[in-house]
Amino acid sequence: ELQPAVDALAPGETLYVVYSVDPVRWEQPSGLPGWTYRLLLAHIASGDWVLQHHLRHIIEHGSVAPWRDVDAGNADRVAERRASIDRKLVEEYLSMRHETMRLLARVERKHLALPIEFWWEPRPNAHTVLAYLLAFERHDRTHRDQLRPAMRYLR
């Protein structure tokens, strides 16, 4: 059951897009108001923090943790990386994703059925941890697609 989520979180497609970004475009505005392409990469690089928090809690306690303030946490992490060079952000992304994969390897089948509410949907809502893991891939894809207009060859 978990394998499709693990496969979907493999970094290959994101790396392809990031390495294809024209270096002169990193400081240019993206399609998101107030976000340059570098800020998008900073968010991608540090974006596993919430997922990792949930996975650690599930593994250690057998239950889903309360949601942290995701918007504030994301804003802090992006601000801390505002001046980071793209190579450093890619290294951080790979390190974070490696840790995510390490944690996923420790998730047990019983954990996948645990209930979780999605903070981004109106409450109440009811989902499973497996649904959350699959939804995280959509998060990755969305931000990866927001970088595509800055690619050298495939705009």
Side-chain angles (χ1 to χ4, degrees):
E1 286 183 80
L2 184 58
Q3 195 60 48
V6 171
D7 292 345
L9 292 175
E13 183 66 20
T14 298
L15 290 175
Y16 170 76
V17 172
V18 169
Y19 287 137
S20 297
V21 169
D22 186 337
V24 301
R25 308 261 339 245
W26 285 119
E27 303 311 321
Q28 293 178 358
S30 72
L32 294 174
W35 286 71
T36 63
Y37 289 108
R38 180 173 313 283
L39 294 179
L40 273 172
L41 181 58
H43 177 63
I44 291 168
S46 60
D48 282 14
W49 72 275
V50 177
L51 176 57
Q52 289 178 7
H53 168 71
H54 278 300
L55 290 173
R56 284 188 189 96
H57 197 275
I58 288 165
I59 292 163
E60 294 169 11
H61 303 286
S63 64
V64 175
W67 285 99
R68 294 187 170 181
D69 186 338
V70 177
D71 288 332
N74 284 338
D76 290 346
R77 283 163 179 78
V78 168
E80 291 166 0
R81 290 156 180 81
R82 180 174 292 281
S84 294
I85 61 171
D86 52 293
R87 286 189 313 265
K88 181 174 166 61
L89 293 170
V90 169
E91 288 173 13
E92 182 176 10
Y93 166 70
L94 288 171
S95 177
M96 290 285 287
R97 189 49 55 97
H98 175 76
E99 177 64 9
T100 297
M101 295 299 193
R102 195 184 70 73
L103 290 167
L104 284 170
R106 296 177 54 202
V107 170
E108 298 175 29
R109 176 170 280 206
K110 66 182 180 183
H111 296 141
L112 299 177
L114 290 171
I116 185 171
E117 279 194 332
F118 291 171
W119 70 272
W120 61 91
E121 288 185 358
R123 290 197 174 140
N125 66 74
H127 299 278
T128 64
V129 167
L130 179 58
Y132 172 54
L133 295 174
L134 293 170
F136 199 80
E137 185 280 330
R138 287 190 301 275
H139 170 268
D140 270 11
R141 186 172 3 105
T142 297
H143 292 309
R144 183 172 59 237
D145 288 348
Q146 290 164 338
L147 280 178
R148 284 187 189 278
M151 293 171 68
R152 280 183 285 252
Y153 309 113
L154 302 174
R155 291 192 188 167

